[in-house]
C-alpha cells in the first residue's frame, strides 16, 4: 500500500469516496506533474526549442494543474464536492491538451512520448474518479 493510500485510510471523513481510487488518482496526478515538468525541461534542451514553445507551455500548465488537483484531492472531506468536480474537469482538459501537444512531437522526441502517455493515464484516472463521485 502506498503512503498516499495508507494516509487516506486513516482519514475520518472520506465523503464516501473509494479510498483506493482516490489514492490512485492522486498518484497519477503527481506522476503526471513530475513527468510534465521533466518534459518541459527536456524540450528546453533540444536544438529545436523554438518549435517546442507550445509544448513547453502546455507541459508547465498541465504540471501546475495536476499539482493543484492532487492537493485539493488530498484534503477532500466532502465539503468541497463542487470544487473537486470542477478541478477534476479542468485537469482532464489540461491533460488531454498536453497529451495532444506532446503526441505531435513524439516521433522526434522520446520525452514527449513518455509525457503524452503519463497525461493520458492521468486523464483517465481523473475521469474515473469524477465518474465515481456522488
Amino acid at each position: 500500500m502506498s503512503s498516499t493510500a495508507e494516509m487516506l485510510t486513516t482519514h475520518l471523513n472520506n465523503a464516501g469516496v473509494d479510498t483506493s481510487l482516490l489514492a490512485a488518482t492522486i498518484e497519477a496526478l503527481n506522476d503526471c506533474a513530475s513527468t510534465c515538468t521533466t518534459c518541459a525541461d527536456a524540450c528546453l534542451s533540444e536544438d529545436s526549442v523554438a518549435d517546442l514553445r507550445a509544448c513547453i507551455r502546455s507541459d508547465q500548465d498541465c504540471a501546475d494543474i495536476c499539482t493543484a488537483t492532487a492537493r485539493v484531492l488530498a484534503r477532500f472531506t466532502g465539503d468541497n464536492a463542487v470544487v473537486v468536480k470542477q478541478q477534476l474537469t479542468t485537469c482532464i482538459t489540461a491533460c488531454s491538451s498536453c497529451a495532444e501537444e506532446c503526441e505531435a512531437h513524439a516521433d522526434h522526441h522520446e520525452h514527449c512520448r513518455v509525457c503524452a502517455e503519463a497525461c493520458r493515464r492521468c486523464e483517465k484516472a481523473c475521469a474515473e474518479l469524477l465518474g465515481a463521485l456522488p
Side-chain angles (χ1 to χ4, degrees):
M1 177 182 291
S2 70
S3 296
T4 301
E6 185 176 9
M7 181 56 81
L8 290 172
T9 62
T10 69
H11 203 296
L12 298 177
N13 182 5
N14 67 5
V17 176
D18 180 323
T19 304
S20 61
L21 180 59
L22 183 58
T25 304
I26 291 169
E27 290 166 3
L29 287 159
N30 288 326
D31 181 61
C32 189
S34 64
T35 302
C36 286
T37 299
T38 304
C39 186
D41 189 61
C43 286
L44 288 169
S45 71
E46 296 289 347
D47 291 335
S48 59
V49 71
D51 297 333
L52 296 169
R53 283 186 185 131
C55 191
I56 294 165
R57 188 173 295 112
S58 183
D59 285 338
Q60 291 174 331
D61 289 348
C62 190
D64 289 346
I65 291 167
C66 285
T67 298
T69 305
R71 291 176 57 99
V72 168
L73 291 179
R75 58 181 178 259
F76 183 53
T77 59
D79 297 340
N80 59 350
V82 172
V83 171
V84 167
K85 288 178 181 181
Q86 287 300 315
Q87 188 67 33
L88 283 167
T89 300
T90 299
C91 196
I92 290 166
T93 301
C95 287
S96 175
S97 177
C98 189
E100 287 175 17
E101 182 63 35
C102 282
E103 287 164 353
H105 305 284
D107 288 344
H108 299 98
H109 305 291
E110 183 70 7
H111 52 84
C112 286
R113 182 195 60 77
V114 171
C115 188
E117 289 174 0
C119 288
R120 293 293 184 202
R121 283 191 303 273
C122 190
E123 177 186 10
K124 182 178 183 230
C126 288
E128 287 176 3
L129 180 60
L130 183 61
L133 292 178

PDB file of all heavy atoms in Angstrom, residues 38-65:
ATOM      1  N   THR A  38       9.500  17.497 -16.236  1.00  0.00           N
ATOM      2  CA  THR A  38      10.707  16.956 -16.844  1.00  0.00           C
ATOM      3  C   THR A  38      10.671  17.079 -18.358  1.00  0.00           C
ATOM      4  O   THR A  38      11.685  17.392 -18.989  1.00  0.00           O
ATOM      5  CB  THR A  38      10.909  15.496 -16.421  1.00  0.00           C
ATOM      6  OG1 THR A  38      10.925  15.431 -14.995  1.00  0.00           O
ATOM      7  CG2 THR A  38      12.205  14.926 -16.964  1.00  0.00           C
ATOM      8  N   CYS A  39       9.501  16.876 -18.955  1.00  0.00           N
ATOM      9  CA  CYS A  39       9.372  17.015 -20.411  1.00  0.00           C
ATOM     10  C   CYS A  39       9.652  18.461 -20.832  1.00  0.00           C
ATOM     11  O   CYS A  39      10.358  18.689 -21.813  1.00  0.00           O
ATOM     12  CB  CYS A  39       7.982  16.583 -20.866  1.00  0.00           C
ATOM     13  SG  CYS A  39       7.783  16.554 -22.661  1.00  0.00           S
ATOM     14  N   ALA A  40       9.097  19.409 -20.102  1.00  0.00           N
ATOM     15  CA  ALA A  40       9.357  20.823 -20.423  1.00  0.00           C
ATOM     16  C   ALA A  40      10.847  21.114 -20.365  1.00  0.00           C
ATOM     17  O   ALA A  40      11.398  21.789 -21.254  1.00  0.00           O
ATOM     18  CB  ALA A  40       8.596  21.735 -19.467  1.00  0.00           C
ATOM     19  N   ASP A  41      11.509  20.590 -19.353  1.00  0.00           N
ATOM     20  CA  ASP A  41      12.945  20.799 -19.220  1.00  0.00           C
ATOM     21  C   ASP A  41      13.700  20.131 -20.376  1.00  0.00           C
ATOM     22  O   ASP A  41      14.639  20.714 -20.928  1.00  0.00           O
ATOM     23  CB  ASP A  41      13.431  20.270 -17.872  1.00  0.00           C
ATOM     24  CG  ASP A  41      14.867  20.653 -17.592  1.00  0.00           C
ATOM     25  OD1 ASP A  41      15.156  21.860 -17.525  1.00  0.00           O
ATOM     26  OD2 ASP A  41      15.693  19.729 -17.463  1.00  0.00           O
ATOM     27  N   ALA A  42      13.275  18.927 -20.740  1.00  0.00           N
ATOM     28  CA  ALA A  42      13.911  18.226 -21.862  1.00  0.00           C
ATOM     29  C   ALA A  42      13.693  18.988 -23.169  1.00  0.00           C
ATOM     30  O   ALA A  42      14.602  19.077 -23.998  1.00  0.00           O
ATOM     31  CB  ALA A  42      13.371  16.804 -21.974  1.00  0.00           C
ATOM     32  N   CYS A  43      12.499  19.558 -23.344  1.00  0.00           N
ATOM     33  CA  CYS A  43      12.232  20.373 -24.542  1.00  0.00           C
ATOM     34  C   CYS A  43      13.188  21.562 -24.610  1.00  0.00           C
ATOM     35  O   CYS A  43      13.661  21.924 -25.689  1.00  0.00           O
ATOM     36  CB  CYS A  43      10.794  20.880 -24.537  1.00  0.00           C
ATOM     37  SG  CYS A  43       9.538  19.631 -24.916  1.00  0.00           S
ATOM     38  N   LEU A  44      13.470  22.146 -23.464  1.00  0.00           N
ATOM     39  CA  LEU A  44      14.371  23.296 -23.430  1.00  0.00           C
ATOM     40  C   LEU A  44      15.798  22.936 -23.821  1.00  0.00           C
ATOM     41  O   LEU A  44      16.565  23.801 -24.237  1.00  0.00           O
ATOM     42  CB  LEU A  44      14.369  23.934 -22.040  1.00  0.00           C
ATOM     43  CG  LEU A  44      13.094  24.696 -21.677  1.00  0.00           C
ATOM     44  CD1 LEU A  44      13.094  25.055 -20.196  1.00  0.00           C
ATOM     45  CD2 LEU A  44      12.962  25.949 -22.543  1.00  0.00           C
ATOM     46  N   SER A  45      16.142  21.666 -23.734  1.00  0.00           N
ATOM     47  CA  SER A  45      17.497  21.245 -24.097  1.00  0.00           C
ATOM     48  C   SER A  45      17.616  20.841 -25.567  1.00  0.00           C
ATOM     49  O   SER A  45      18.711  20.570 -26.050  1.00  0.00           O
ATOM     50  CB  SER A  45      17.954  20.095 -23.205  1.00  0.00           C
ATOM     51  OG  SER A  45      17.255  18.910 -23.532  1.00  0.00           O
ATOM     52  N   GLU A  46      16.493  20.820 -26.263  1.00  0.00           N
ATOM     53  CA  GLU A  46      16.505  20.437 -27.680  1.00  0.00           C
ATOM     54  C   GLU A  46      17.016  21.589 -28.549  1.00  0.00           C
ATOM     55  O   GLU A  46      16.826  22.758 -28.229  1.00  0.00           O
ATOM     56  CB  GLU A  46      15.095  20.052 -28.139  1.00  0.00           C
ATOM     57  CG  GLU A  46      14.530  18.820 -27.457  1.00  0.00           C
ATOM     58  CD  GLU A  46      15.194  17.522 -27.881  1.00  0.00           C
ATOM     59  OE1 GLU A  46      15.940  17.512 -28.886  1.00  0.00           O
ATOM     60  OE2 GLU A  46      14.975  16.507 -27.182  1.00  0.00           O
ATOM     61  N   ASP A  47      17.643  21.237 -29.671  1.00  0.00           N
ATOM     62  CA  ASP A  47      18.096  22.248 -30.631  1.00  0.00           C
ATOM     63  C   ASP A  47      16.913  23.020 -31.226  1.00  0.00           C
ATOM     64  O   ASP A  47      17.038  24.194 -31.553  1.00  0.00           O
ATOM     65  CB  ASP A  47      18.892  21.597 -31.771  1.00  0.00           C
ATOM     66  CG  ASP A  47      20.228  21.056 -31.291  1.00  0.00           C
ATOM     67  OD1 ASP A  47      20.746  21.560 -30.272  1.00  0.00           O
ATOM     68  OD2 ASP A  47      20.741  20.119 -31.935  1.00  0.00           O
ATOM     69  N   SER A  48      15.788  22.360 -31.331  1.00  0.00           N
ATOM     70  CA  SER A  48      14.597  22.960 -31.945  1.00  0.00           C
ATOM     71  C   SER A  48      13.662  23.569 -30.899  1.00  0.00           C
ATOM     72  O   SER A  48      12.445  23.526 -31.054  1.00  0.00           O
ATOM     73  CB  SER A  48      13.849  21.900 -32.744  1.00  0.00           C
ATOM     74  OG  SER A  48      13.473  20.831 -31.892  1.00  0.00           O
ATOM     75  N   VAL A  49      14.221  24.165 -29.870  1.00  0.00           N
ATOM     76  CA  VAL A  49      13.420  24.670 -28.756  1.00  0.00           C
ATOM     77  C   VAL A  49      12.336  25.647 -29.212  1.00  0.00           C
ATOM     78  O   VAL A  49      11.230  25.653 -28.671  1.00  0.00           O
ATOM     79  CB  VAL A  49      14.320  25.267 -27.642  1.00  0.00           C
ATOM     80  CG1 VAL A  49      14.961  26.570 -28.079  1.00  0.00           C
ATOM     81  CG2 VAL A  49      13.537  25.472 -26.357  1.00  0.00           C
ATOM     82  N   ALA A  50      12.610  26.440 -30.217  1.00  0.00           N
ATOM     83  CA  ALA A  50      11.608  27.399 -30.714  1.00  0.00           C
ATOM     84  C   ALA A  50      10.368  26.673 -31.234  1.00  0.00           C
ATOM     85  O   ALA A  50       9.253  27.171 -31.086  1.00  0.00           O
ATOM     86  CB  ALA A  50      12.203  28.285 -31.795  1.00  0.00           C
ATOM     87  N   ASP A  51      10.549  25.500 -31.797  1.00  0.00           N
ATOM     88  CA  ASP A  51       9.423  24.718 -32.310  1.00  0.00           C
ATOM     89  C   ASP A  51       8.642  24.033 -31.192  1.00  0.00           C
ATOM     90  O   ASP A  51       7.568  23.492 -31.435  1.00  0.00           O
ATOM     91  CB  ASP A  51       9.915  23.643 -33.284  1.00  0.00           C
ATOM     92  CG  ASP A  51      10.571  24.226 -34.524  1.00  0.00           C
ATOM     93  OD1 ASP A  51      10.229  25.372 -34.898  1.00  0.00           O
ATOM     94  OD2 ASP A  51      11.441  23.538 -35.099  1.00  0.00           O
ATOM     95  N   LEU A  52       9.199  24.048 -29.986  1.00  0.00           N
ATOM     96  CA  LEU A  52       8.586  23.347 -28.857  1.00  0.00           C
ATOM     97  C   LEU A  52       7.961  24.290 -27.829  1.00  0.00           C
ATOM     98  O   LEU A  52       7.573  23.858 -26.745  1.00  0.00           O
ATOM     99  CB  LEU A  52       9.642  22.453 -28.180  1.00  0.00           C
ATOM    100  CG  LEU A  52      10.179  21.327 -29.059  1.00  0.00           C
ATOM    101  CD1 LEU A  52      11.400  20.677 -28.430  1.00  0.00           C
ATOM    102  CD2 LEU A  52       9.088  20.288 -29.323  1.00  0.00           C
ATOM    103  N   ARG A  53       7.857  25.555 -28.174  1.00  0.00           N
ATOM    104  CA  ARG A  53       7.309  26.528 -27.213  1.00  0.00           C
ATOM    105  C   ARG A  53       5.915  26.145 -26.715  1.00  0.00           C
ATOM    106  O   ARG A  53       5.639  26.214 -25.525  1.00  0.00           O
ATOM    107  CB  ARG A  53       7.283  27.920 -27.825  1.00  0.00           C
ATOM    108  CG  ARG A  53       8.616  28.576 -27.861  1.00  0.00           C
ATOM    109  CD  ARG A  53       8.499  30.026 -28.344  1.00  0.00           C
ATOM    110  NE  ARG A  53       9.835  30.582 -28.469  1.00  0.00           N
ATOM    111  CZ  ARG A  53      10.270  31.232 -29.521  1.00  0.00           C
ATOM    112  NH1 ARG A  53       9.470  31.442 -30.554  1.00  0.00           N
ATOM    113  NH2 ARG A  53      11.495  31.689 -29.564  1.00  0.00           N
ATOM    114  N   ALA A  54       5.038  25.781 -27.624  1.00  0.00           N
ATOM    115  CA  ALA A  54       3.681  25.404 -27.226  1.00  0.00           C
ATOM    116  C   ALA A  54       3.703  24.162 -26.345  1.00  0.00           C
ATOM    117  O   ALA A  54       2.926  24.056 -25.383  1.00  0.00           O
ATOM    118  CB  ALA A  54       2.801  25.177 -28.451  1.00  0.00           C
ATOM    119  N   CYS A  55       4.598  23.247 -26.646  1.00  0.00           N
ATOM    120  CA  CYS A  55       4.726  22.027 -25.850  1.00  0.00           C
ATOM    121  C   CYS A  55       5.210  22.359 -24.434  1.00  0.00           C
ATOM    122  O   CYS A  55       4.667  21.856 -23.458  1.00  0.00           O
ATOM    123  CB  CYS A  55       5.674  21.055 -26.542  1.00  0.00           C
ATOM    124  SG  CYS A  55       5.676  19.405 -25.821  1.00  0.00           S
ATOM    125  N   ILE A  56       6.190  23.211 -24.347  1.00  0.00           N
ATOM    126  CA  ILE A  56       6.732  23.619 -23.045  1.00  0.00           C
ATOM    127  C   ILE A  56       5.644  24.285 -22.219  1.00  0.00           C
ATOM    128  O   ILE A  56       5.448  23.969 -21.043  1.00  0.00           O
ATOM    129  CB  ILE A  56       7.951  24.553 -23.228  1.00  0.00           C
ATOM    130  CG1 ILE A  56       9.100  23.787 -23.873  1.00  0.00           C
ATOM    131  CG2 ILE A  56       8.369  25.169 -21.892  1.00  0.00           C
ATOM    132  CD1 ILE A  56      10.210  24.672 -24.435  1.00  0.00           C
ATOM    133  N   ARG A  57       4.921  25.206 -22.827  1.00  0.00           N
ATOM    134  CA  ARG A  57       3.839  25.911 -22.132  1.00  0.00           C
ATOM    135  C   ARG A  57       2.767  24.924 -21.670  1.00  0.00           C
ATOM    136  O   ARG A  57       2.282  24.978 -20.542  1.00  0.00           O
ATOM    137  CB  ARG A  57       3.239  26.976 -23.036  1.00  0.00           C
ATOM    138  CG  ARG A  57       2.244  27.878 -22.342  1.00  0.00           C
ATOM    139  CD  ARG A  57       1.797  29.028 -23.227  1.00  0.00           C
ATOM    140  NE  ARG A  57       2.927  29.919 -23.519  1.00  0.00           N
ATOM    141  CZ  ARG A  57       3.482  30.074 -24.723  1.00  0.00           C
ATOM    142  NH1 ARG A  57       3.024  29.414 -25.762  1.00  0.00           N
ATOM    143  NH2 ARG A  57       4.501  30.897 -24.895  1.00  0.00           N
ATOM    144  N   SER A  58       2.398  24.007 -22.544  1.00  0.00           N
ATOM    145  CA  SER A  58       1.391  23.007 -22.216  1.00  0.00           C
ATOM    146  C   SER A  58       1.867  22.106 -21.072  1.00  0.00           C
ATOM    147  O   SER A  58       1.104  21.802 -20.154  1.00  0.00           O
ATOM    148  CB  SER A  58       1.068  22.172 -23.454  1.00  0.00           C
ATOM    149  OG  SER A  58       0.058  21.241 -23.184  1.00  0.00           O
ATOM    150  N   ASP A  59       3.133  21.690 -21.132  1.00  0.00           N
ATOM    151  CA  ASP A  59       3.721  20.881 -20.056  1.00  0.00           C
ATOM    152  C   ASP A  59       3.642  21.622 -18.719  1.00  0.00           C
ATOM    153  O   ASP A  59       3.246  21.045 -17.699  1.00  0.00           O
ATOM    154  CB  ASP A  59       5.201  20.572 -20.342  1.00  0.00           C
ATOM    155  CG  ASP A  59       5.416  19.507 -21.398  1.00  0.00           C
ATOM    156  OD1 ASP A  59       4.499  18.699 -21.652  1.00  0.00           O
ATOM    157  OD2 ASP A  59       6.526  19.485 -21.974  1.00  0.00           O
ATOM    158  N   GLN A  60       4.020  22.883 -18.725  1.00  0.00           N
ATOM    159  CA  GLN A  60       4.031  23.654 -17.487  1.00  0.00           C
ATOM    160  C   GLN A  60       2.622  23.864 -16.950  1.00  0.00           C
ATOM    161  O   GLN A  60       2.387  23.742 -15.745  1.00  0.00           O
ATOM    162  CB  GLN A  60       4.740  24.987 -17.698  1.00  0.00           C
ATOM    163  CG  GLN A  60       6.225  24.824 -17.927  1.00  0.00           C
ATOM    164  CD  GLN A  60       6.910  26.127 -18.284  1.00  0.00           C
ATOM    165  OE1 GLN A  60       6.325  27.030 -18.869  1.00  0.00           O
ATOM    166  NE2 GLN A  60       8.181  26.225 -17.925  1.00  0.00           N
ATOM    167  N   ASP A  61       1.686  24.175 -17.828  1.00  0.00           N
ATOM    168  CA  ASP A  61       0.299  24.342 -17.397  1.00  0.00           C
ATOM    169  C   ASP A  61      -0.243  23.050 -16.810  1.00  0.00           C
ATOM    170  O   ASP A  61      -0.870  23.049 -15.738  1.00  0.00           O
ATOM    171  CB  ASP A  61      -0.594  24.771 -18.566  1.00  0.00           C
ATOM    172  CG  ASP A  61      -0.356  26.195 -19.023  1.00  0.00           C
ATOM    173  OD1 ASP A  61       0.341  26.958 -18.312  1.00  0.00           O
ATOM    174  OD2 ASP A  61      -0.862  26.546 -20.113  1.00  0.00           O
ATOM    175  N   CYS A  62      -0.011  21.949 -17.502  1.00  0.00           N
ATOM    176  CA  CYS A  62      -0.512  20.657 -17.042  1.00  0.00           C
ATOM    177  C   CYS A  62       0.106  20.287 -15.688  1.00  0.00           C
ATOM    178  O   CYS A  62      -0.598  19.829 -14.783  1.00  0.00           O
ATOM    179  CB  CYS A  62      -0.231  19.579 -18.083  1.00  0.00           C
ATOM    180  SG  CYS A  62      -1.066  18.007 -17.755  1.00  0.00           S
ATOM    181  N   ALA A  63       1.400  20.501 -15.543  1.00  0.00           N
ATOM    182  CA  ALA A  63       2.061  20.186 -14.267  1.00  0.00           C
ATOM    183  C   ALA A  63       1.453  20.988 -13.123  1.00  0.00           C
ATOM    184  O   ALA A  63       1.170  20.435 -12.057  1.00  0.00           O
ATOM    185  CB  ALA A  63       3.562  20.460 -14.379  1.00  0.00           C
ATOM    186  N   ASP A  64       1.239  22.272 -13.345  1.00  0.00           N
ATOM    187  CA  ASP A  64       0.663  23.115 -12.286  1.00  0.00           C
ATOM    188  C   ASP A  64      -0.761  22.696 -11.941  1.00  0.00           C
ATOM    189  O   ASP A  64      -1.134  22.640 -10.766  1.00  0.00           O
ATOM    190  CB  ASP A  64       0.681  24.585 -12.705  1.00  0.00           C
ATOM    191  CG  ASP A  64       2.072  25.185 -12.717  1.00  0.00           C
ATOM    192  OD1 ASP A  64       3.004  24.577 -12.156  1.00  0.00           O
ATOM    193  OD2 ASP A  64       2.229  26.272 -13.303  1.00  0.00           O
ATOM    194  N   ILE A  65      -1.557  22.392 -12.961  1.00  0.00           N
ATOM    195  CA  ILE A  65      -2.946  21.987 -12.716  1.00  0.00           C
ATOM    196  C   ILE A  65      -3.008  20.632 -12.022  1.00  0.00           C
ATOM    197  O   ILE A  65      -3.803  20.429 -11.099  1.00  0.00           O
ATOM    198  CB  ILE A  65      -3.746  22.014 -14.034  1.00  0.00           C
ATOM    199  CG1 ILE A  65      -3.906  23.472 -14.494  1.00  0.00           C
ATOM    200  CG2 ILE A  65      -5.106  21.334 -13.882  1.00  0.00           C
ATOM    201  CD1 ILE A  65      -4.398  23.634 -15.919  1.00  0.00           C
TER     202      ILE A  65
END
